Structures are given as structure tokens and as C-alpha cells.
Amino acid sequence: MDLGCRRVGLLILVILVFSFSCPNFVLAKMPEGYKDIKLGMKRSQIVELLSKSPSHYSFEELGEDITEVIRGDNLFRFAIYRFNSEDELTEIDLQMREIMGRDRVLEIYNTEHGLTLSPNKVSIEANKSIEVKENRLIIKLASDRDKRSAKGPK
């Protein structure tokens, strides 16, 4: 009986240790956007957020895009928000701070979000992707064309 209790106790201990040491990327969920701006939001919602929130320092509407100068963020300097023809946010392009260097920014971002991003790896989840291009981190919402099956026409 005593040996059986020890085995059960050891099993519980192993399960607890595994659950606490389980890598973040197993439990990670890809970010929906940047700060309070989320993919899929309407252009008007984003303009309202940018103009009313003190955390957004400076922004400008440039044609199809909205650009923002980011203050108070150690990882990113600028954001470019891109929209589809229905005025839905489909891409967030974040320029990293050069002073920290791309590798350090990615290390911190990966730790904060439980990701494993690198310049050679794109992370894809259901309807969005996140990738690194040069000194930029790009979060994209998949377009309808990108969601098609690879089977082809019937």
C-alpha cells in the first residue's frame, strides 16, 4: 500500500512539474493585433482609437494606410495599418527599434507572446499569420483567396 501511494505521489509531482515547465509555445496564441488595435477592425474604429487614446502619440492617414509614430514601446518605432477594400484592417506592419537590434526585439517579443518567430519562420494560425521581414514584424489577416483549399476545382 505504501509503495502504491508513493507511485501516485510521484506521478502527481511529475505532472505538476511538466505543467509548470511546459513551453509557452505549446500554450501560445498568436497576437490579434498591436496594443488595442486588432486585425479585422474597421478603419473608423482605428481612427477613433488613435485620436482618443493617450497611448497613441502621433498618426496620419496616407491614402489606403494609416501610419503611427509609436512612443513608450521599447520594441517598435512605427506602425503601418493596411486595409482591404471593405475598410477592414488586414495588416499591421511594425518597424523594430534599430538600437535594440532585430534579434533582441524578436527574443523579447517571443518571450512576451510565447512564440518562436525568427527571420526564417512564419507562424500561421487559422486566419492570420505573423512574419519577420528585414527589420519589420508583419501581422496579417488571411484574405478569402488565401483561405481556399488546395484541392482545386471539382
Side-chain angles (χ1 to χ4, degrees):
M1 181 75 174
D2 190 35
L3 184 61
C5 289
R6 285 185 184 171
R7 285 185 180 168
V8 169
L10 181 63
L11 180 62
I12 291 172
L13 180 64
V14 168
I15 291 171
L16 285 174
V17 167
F18 178 73
S19 65
F20 286 118
S21 65
C22 184
N24 284 343
F25 67 86
V26 173
L27 306 172
K29 185 172 191 252
M30 192 180 302
E32 298 285 327
Y34 176 70
K35 292 186 178 181
D36 51 354
I37 297 177
K38 309 294 182 217
L39 293 171
M41 289 177 75
K42 293 290 188 186
R43 181 184 199 94
S44 58
Q45 292 174 297
I46 293 170
V47 169
E48 184 177 337
L49 273 173
L50 290 171
S51 48
K52 290 185 178 180
S53 175
S55 67
H56 298 285
Y57 173 73
S58 171
F59 75 97
E60 189 173 340
E61 293 187 70
L62 298 172
E64 299 295 317
D65 302 338
I66 295 176
T67 61
E68 176 186 12
V69 176
I70 299 172
R71 303 282 186 202
D73 189 315
N74 294 328
L75 303 180
F76 304 107
R77 302 178 41 203
F78 299 106
I80 301 172
Y81 305 108
R82 295 188 176 97
F83 301 85
N84 63 14
S85 58
E86 289 86 33
D87 270 349
E88 292 177 337
L89 181 63
T90 57
E91 185 176 307
I92 301 172
D93 187 334
L94 300 167
Q95 184 179 14
M96 299 177 200
R97 293 200 178 274
E98 294 91 357
I99 198 163
M100 290 187 70
R102 178 181 68 188
D103 294 336
R104 182 68 178 137
V105 169
L106 287 176
E107 179 185 333
I108 293 169
Y109 190 82
N110 283 334
T111 301
E112 288 176 356
H113 297 283
L115 299 171
T116 57
L117 293 172
S118 75
N120 304 321
K121 182 179 177 187
V122 175
S123 291
I124 300 171
E125 184 180 283
N127 66 339
K128 58 186 174 277
S129 67
I130 186 167
E131 64 182 310
V132 178
K133 285 188 179 176
E134 298 169 1
N135 200 34
R136 298 174 5 245
L137 184 89
I138 302 170
I139 306 168
K140 290 182 185 179
L141 191 62
S143 66
D144 290 335
R145 181 180 50 189
D146 295 339
K147 295 178 193 173
R148 293 181 302 186
S149 169
K151 292 180 182 179
K154 290 186 180 183

